[in-house]
Amino acid sequence: MAQHAGEATDAPVSNGLGRSVQRIEDDALLRGRGRFVDDVALPGMLHAAFLRSPYAHGRLNRIDVTEAQVLPGVHRVFTYADLRAVLTSDRIPLAMPAGAIRFDVDPFVLARDEVCHVGEPVALVIADSRHIAEDALGLIAVDIEPLPAIVDPRGGLAEGAPKARLDCPDNLVARAAMQYGDIGRAFADAAHVVAEEFHLHKGGGHSIETRGVVARFDTAERMLTVWDSTQMPHQAKRVLVRSLGLGEHQVRVIAPDVGGGFGPKFVFHPEELAVAAASMLLGRPVKWIEDRFENFMATAQERNQFWTVEAAFDAQGRLLGIRGTLIHDHGAYTPYGVALPQNSGTNLLGPYVLPAYDLDIRLCLTNLVPATPTRGAGRPQGTFVMERLLDRAAVHFGLPREEIRSRNLIRADQMPYETPLRTRDGGLMVYDSGDYPECQRRALDVSDWAGFAERRAAAVRQGRYRGIGLANYVEGSGRGPFESAAVSIGPSGKVVVTTGATAQGQGTATMLAQLVAASLGLEASQISVIAGDTAASPLGLGAFASRQAVTAGNAVHQAAMQVRAKILAIASNALEIDESDLELMNGRVSLKGAPEMGMSFGQIAGSLAGLPGMALPKGATPGLAAAVDFQPKGMAYCNGTHVAEIEIDPATCSIIVERYTVVHDCGRLINPMMVDGQVLGGVVHGISSALFEWMSVDAQGQPQTCTYADYLLATADVVPRIDIHHMESPSPLNPLGIKGAGESGTIAASAVIASAIEDALSPLGVVVRELPMTPGRLHALMAKATRDGAAA
Amino acid sequence: MKPAPFHYHAPSTRMEALQLLTELEDARVLAGGQSLVPMLNLRLAAPENLIDLNGVADLAGIVMEGRRLTIGAMTRQRHGERSGLVREACPLLAHALSHVGHQQTRNRGTIGGSIAHMDPTAELPVVACAMDAVVVLESARGTREVPFAQWSDGYLATAIGPGEIVAAIAFPCWPAGHGWAFEEVTRRGEGYSIVSVVALLSMGADGTVDRCAIAIGGLGAAPVRADAAEAVLTGVAPGDEAIAQAGEAASELEAEGDLYAHEAFKRHLAKQLTLRALRSARDRAHAGGTGHG
Amino acid sequence: MRAAPAMAETVPITIAVNGVERTGDAEPRTHLADFLRHHLGLTGTHIGCEHGVCGACTVLVDGETARSCLMFAVQANGRSITTIEGVAEADLLHPIQAALSKHHGLQCGYCTPGIVMTLIELQRDLAGEPITEPAVRKALSGNLCRCTGYQGMVDAALEVLNAGQDQEVRP
């Protein structure tokens, strides 16, 4: 499977890195004993269904719920006005501060007087069962006057375009420029300019578990508890506290087992507030589980970007500058600021030296569900553009693709590399560590790049095209501002970790447990981890931007080391043994080689717990616990190189991915097995986006692909084995030297597949400007190229 | 997505089922459920009454009567796929069945259900079309047979009448040693056919084609026979040139583009898959019809 | 859209689940997955699409895999169902479950019960015959997973299904 180029060095105390510890989550999940939000059943619980807008844009004139209200089994039908009565503001306060945003577009909890995307929640039915709630939906009469819908962001930004939202001055929700260097000079001096247009489309997150919320407002205690299939329970709590006018002590959000996140569950959606408000108004617990049809039309996703770019090169194929425009389909409101296209813009630089840059980014409001991150968060698009430009230039200059890249890659001796670009925190984008040329070199080696010609010849003899692709990328990870973790041991001796980090399958609990276990001389399976519960950790952020290994990992490591230090200090005093002669093993601290001469963790914790009138051990502070909020000093940049080989059968225009190699550098690995799992999942998601996934919407904004028969995800039979190799360039930005890995698999996949397709079809001169590359699209490209070739 | 409410009926005999179907207004029959239940879940269909045929034991079964392989409508696809009788008499059908959905859906899905539903990209209708199958319909009034060429009535519509169920499909089997082939191009791996082609050839003693049947699915609402392509091959030796001509003829069939494939691509596939299917069928015919899929 | 009948008619349903007879009342329109989960409290079977495509809801009905979202609970009356809860023996995981953990064939665990049931049927169908990787991948092609990229579960399946083979199986 994977090979690890360097194991973590053995410090005097093992830090737990580099061990493929078996996951502590697995046993329960394998037995079907997970506890996902739909598994939560509370006494008196009612069920919710949302009536959703059938139009992409319209004036909501009237809603008549009288017939629905009297259906047996229906408890209430809520519209905006009903819920507004318990809210502190008209709109849900989601806006993230961003200078580029020209006007705030926060959503309403339910549509108020305008509907702005198909699937927007309009009314909320609460009934004895989901079945009855759905029956009631059909009895609600809605009077919507359709208005023109903006579906294409290019059209939406054109002069005279109708407004996507009546409450906004125009459709240009944000404009940002990424600029540095002398771009005019770059193009004046250019030996060659590549000019291109690209249309990129990412699609939905499509975790196999949809969204869902259970809310219970205890009227006696005035306490709101919400089980939410979310990546961000603390953020959800913040929004609920503010919107419902409650105190922080009155709201608890629990992310139970979550069946995949991938980005959409990082965003706060109106349904979360609507269900909470409904439970308050009814005084009964309310459950809402999103069904897959709703998921297609009402869950945030990434969609269209239109790029027009030019790249200037000198006579040796070195980049002088890139300029262009990015028009981004933003969706109907702004739950996540403008970071998505900004990530695209910054990730375009990749691991390359780019002396000048001028990208005009425009975000267009559209009458579609908001575009927010799905695994990769805009970065794959930037990488795609850069890698295509390099491949084009390689053809022009007659240079091998790996050579033109080598000439442009940032060298290891230039690290840490300060790019001239500013990130949204305001600082410069600095790549902290990595050896990009070596990474590419290894990838070419382990993928047998040199031997490809023979493999191509063999395919050609059998009437097929075969191509090999190459792509390099970086990914900023470990985003701050902080993450929290605490380690505590009580008189029972049990070690408990609490954290603001969350889990959706990436093995957060195992990762944290193995770090703590290493510091305390235990096995990971002996540690309990509570994640995703705002009651367990007062502060926290959660899972996004490949950050938890860096932030929560370092936090928990430091907390565990503090607890370790306290154990040694107390034990040393109590046993009158020098700390350096003590060891921690199996829940005890004892004289090395003489385990009977020691104390259990429980005893130490007991001695620090306090008895009335009894003094604590000399100099000690109460309790055996430590809490750390780790604030990363900057983004830690992981990097990698992907190589892929594909075959195309011209008769069927089917693409088969035959081989796929990743050389991946995410600094020190905590659990190599789990890192591989993240890369594998990301690569397959990327292949899926490149070849299969297309969220189709018609000209009126009606989603046309709302089932898994229409919108295809990659299955086991259409992806190859993925060969993963690791390099470890530790990050200097955090004590453990860790970088993130959760999204990196997706970031280069589209680029490398496109590179392979172009290589396979180079005899035809086919160029890839648009994805996914379905058989139908490929046929059109090949047919056109053949016609153009014949005409030439 | 939960279905609208319905009254559920579980007859245990054909007569009971047919009576219910005649008497109840707004009723649909439930066979394997793999096509109907998704529609019910999505509320694309909301009948007041659902008549479950799964308890009517004698609607399933595979019987050979002369050269006619009669398959009861409620026969599970998986059962047909593995049936020794089907593999022997009609290897094409056994092979095509292995491409229908996935094992989990073939365990419940029925052969009759697929023919009754007539999904434009389904594999079984293409086989039925090529083989001139006969759809046997039953109602409280009696039985009638509809030749497959008259079965489709547009997108997801058939010649089935009120009070009728598909009781069986009869496949007139080709003589032993015939050549056959099934080819398809999908949108992804094992599933979601774009275009599929079935070819059947029987050879005379003189090495010319006695009889040829080519059916193509995915071009429109229902599979079609490639008459012109068949005519090209009938009576001649199935050499490469004749096959190439047949492929050309197949590419001239009318095709409707859809969300996944435009018209030109479908016609391209019709040609390419016809070429492959004919070569395969010819090879099988020369080998005496051996070689299961 | 029609209104519901004046009274939602429920029917008594008796199913043998994991060898134990269980009874509940449900509307005919309640599918088997919802019945197992909410009427019988067996929440290990998961719902991912209700369209019959994702495979998360896969159970064994009279020993054969089926999408439990495409079957009404009333249709299972008198039948024998095996769910994920019935796979492991008390303390000991089934070899397929153990192999999935060993090979990191699960991450969020949501699709996992469906994967396990699919592999159990595959193991039974093989009756000791070896299986190649492409055949395993084809057998799993009816189950969607978004987390793992499938490789870990494929490796788990190959190890368990080819256990006891003398030679490495070539595709």
Side-chain angles (χ1 to χ4, degrees), chain B residues 1-3 5-8 30 34 37-38 41-43 46 52 54 78 82 102-104 107 190 192, chain C residues 2 5 9 28-29 34 49-51 53 65 67 69-72 74-75 118 121 125 138 141-143:
Chain B
M1 291 138 37
K2 310 297 179 189
F6 52 79
H7 296 285
Y8 173 79
L30 174 64
Q34 307 303 289
V37 180
N41 286 343
L42 279 162
R43 299 202 183 205
D52 185 352
N54 287 278
R78 188 93 171 105
R82 292 160 126 178
H102 298 100
Q103 181 158 326
Q104 296 105 324
N107 283 338
E190 294 292 317
Y192 305 112
Chain C
R2 250 180 328 106
E9 54 174 85
R29 61 173 168 166
D34 274 343
C49 73
E50 283 178 313
H51 193 82
V53 179
T65 54
R67 314 282 208 208
C69 73
L70 294 188
M71 228 179 123
F72 297 110
V74 67
Q75 291 185 282
T118 298
E121 180 176 62
D125 285 352
K138 181 174 167 180
S141 65
N143 295 74

Side-chain angles (χ1 to χ4, degrees), chain B residues 206-219:
Chain B
D206 60 353
T208 62
V209 172
D210 237 346
R211 187 182 162 204
C212 170
I214 304 169
I216 305 185
L219 299 182

Side-chain angles (χ1 to χ4, degrees), chain A residues 421-474:
Chain A
L421 203 56
R422 293 201 173 272
T423 62
R424 67 189 202 227
D425 328 68
L428 283 175
M429 185 166 87
V430 179
Y431 298 155
D432 51 325
S433 68
D435 187 345
Y436 307 144
E438 172 61 17
C439 186
Q440 177 178 286
R441 191 205 65 72
R442 277 195 210 188
L444 298 177
D445 179 36
V446 297
S447 64
D448 189 24
W449 179 272
F452 174 71
E454 237 179 78
R455 296 193 287 280
R456 193 206 311 267
V460 168
R461 280 194 294 274
Q462 299 189 350
R464 293 189 304 277
Y465 294 98
R466 188 173 177 116
I468 192 167
L470 171 65
N472 294 307
Y473 69 95
V474 299

Side-chain angles (χ1 to χ4, degrees), chain A residues 388 391-392 395 400-402 449 452-453 456 460 465-470 644-646 648 751-768:
Chain A
R388 311 295 355 91
D391 276 359
R392 296 274 188 286
V395 167
R401 287 169 292 164
E402 67 275 24
W449 179 272
F452 174 71
R456 193 206 311 267
V460 168
Y465 294 98
R466 188 173 177 116
I468 192 167
L470 171 65
E645 286 182 41
I646 59 124
I648 295 172
V752 80
I753 298 287
S755 179
I757 292 171
E758 287 184 5
D759 182 57
L761 298 177
S762 56
L764 297 180
V766 160
V767 149
V768 178

Side-chain angles (χ1 to χ4, degrees), chain A residues 58-373:
Chain A
R59 267 198 191 83
L60 179 58
N61 291 327
R62 224 171 59 93
I63 308 179
D64 184 352
V65 305
T66 41
E67 219 189 318
Q69 294 256 57
V70 299
L71 184 68
V74 171
H75 288 249
R76 271 298 292 276
V77 182
F78 292 113
T79 60
Y80 174 81
D82 302 317
L83 297 185
R84 176 64 181 91
V86 292
L87 302 179
T88 58
S89 58
D90 285 349
R91 296 179 188 245
I92 310 177
L94 297 181
M96 273 178 52
I101 290 197
R102 297 173 64 240
F103 40 81
D104 281 338
V105 202
D106 281 332
F108 294 96
V109 66
L110 292 172
R112 187 178 64 180
D113 26 46
E114 188 184 2
V115 290
C116 295
H117 68 86
V118 171
E120 181 170 358
V122 169
L124 174 58
V125 175
I126 310 292
D128 287 335
S129 73
R130 174 66 180 230
H131 297 70
I132 293 172
E134 288 192 18
D135 294 340
L137 294 181
L139 300 174
I140 301 174
V142 194
D143 177 12
I144 297 177
E145 176 200 327
L147 293 169
I150 300 296
V151 171
D152 185 328
R154 294 168 298 180
L157 293 177
E159 184 81 27
K163 294 209 269 189
R165 294 190 71 106
L166 300 176
D167 53 13
C168 295
D170 54 53
N171 298 327
L172 182 65
V173 67
R175 185 167 201 165
M178 285 193 179
Q179 288 170 329
Y180 64 79
D182 189 342
I183 197 72
R185 183 74 183 273
F187 278 83
D189 291 350
H192 178 67
V193 171
V194 174
E196 266 301 349
E197 288 185 1
F198 300 108
H199 174 200
L200 297 170
H201 178 96
K202 184 87 185 308
H206 289 293
S207 51
I208 306 302
E209 185 206 25
T210 54
R211 294 184 291 133
V213 186
V214 174
R216 177 184 67 199
F217 185 72
D218 186 317
T219 37
E221 294 187 13
R222 292 204 65 73
M223 176 84 194
L224 176 68
T225 307
V226 177
W227 289 261
D228 192 348
S229 189
T230 179
Q231 296 167 226
M232 308 285 285
H234 282 88
Q235 169 183 269
K237 170 173 168 164
R238 195 155 56 231
V239 176
L240 293 170
V241 160
R242 189 160 158 200
S243 292
L244 296 169
L246 297 168
E248 277 78 4
H249 61 293
Q250 294 174 294
V251 177
R252 177 184 182 190
V253 178
I254 302 165
D257 285 325
V258 174
F262 309 119
K265 292 179 182 177
F266 149 80
V267 173
F268 189 92
H269 290 74
E271 293 94 338
E272 293 164 76
L273 177 59
V275 172
S279 76
M280 286 177 75
L281 285 164
L282 288 173
R284 299 266 303 258
V286 175
K287 169 186 273 190
W288 171 70
I289 302 299
E290 179 188 50
D291 65 41
R292 187 58 65 179
F293 192 69
E294 291 178 282
N295 181 262
F296 271 100
M297 65 173 69
T299 290
Q301 54 195 241
E302 279 192 50
R303 263 183 325 271
N304 290 322
Q305 288 189 350
F306 295 93
W307 293 72
T308 306
V309 280
E310 298 178 290
F313 291 87
D314 69 15
Q316 282 74 48
R318 284 185 296 250
L319 280 161
L320 296 175
I322 292 178
R323 67 184 173 197
T325 64
L326 161 55
I327 294 178
H328 176 87
D329 167 359
H330 181 79
Y333 59 90
T334 47
Y336 178 59
V338 300
L340 203 55
Q342 282 189 338
N343 285 346
S344 305
T346 56
N347 225 55
L348 180 144
L349 270 67
Y352 303 106
V353 177
L354 182 64
Y357 192 34
D358 185 353
L359 185 68
D360 173 34
I361 301 175
R362 282 182 289 160
L363 286 76
C364 182
L365 274 182
T366 60
N367 292 112
L368 300 167
V369 71
T372 68

Side-chain angles (χ1 to χ4, degrees), chain A residues 37-55:
Chain A
V37 66
D38 191 31
D39 303 340
V40 174
L42 303 174
M45 189 170 74
L46 298 173
H47 298 265
F50 285 91
L51 181 71
R52 297 181 179 278
S53 172
Y55 294 106

Side-chain angles (χ1 to χ4, degrees), chain A residues 465-521:
Chain A
Y465 294 98
R466 188 173 177 116
I468 192 167
L470 171 65
N472 294 307
Y473 69 95
V474 299
E475 183 204 352
S477 70
R479 197 183 282 287
F482 71 90
E483 193 50 85
S484 306
V487 177
S488 64
I489 307 178
S492 71
K494 293 204 190 299
V495 180
V496 178
V497 172
T498 55
T499 178
T502 59
Q504 304 85 43
Q506 64 272 63
T508 306
T510 300
M511 172 186 74
L512 299 177
Q514 78 178 73
L515 290 171
V516 171
S519 296
L520 298 180

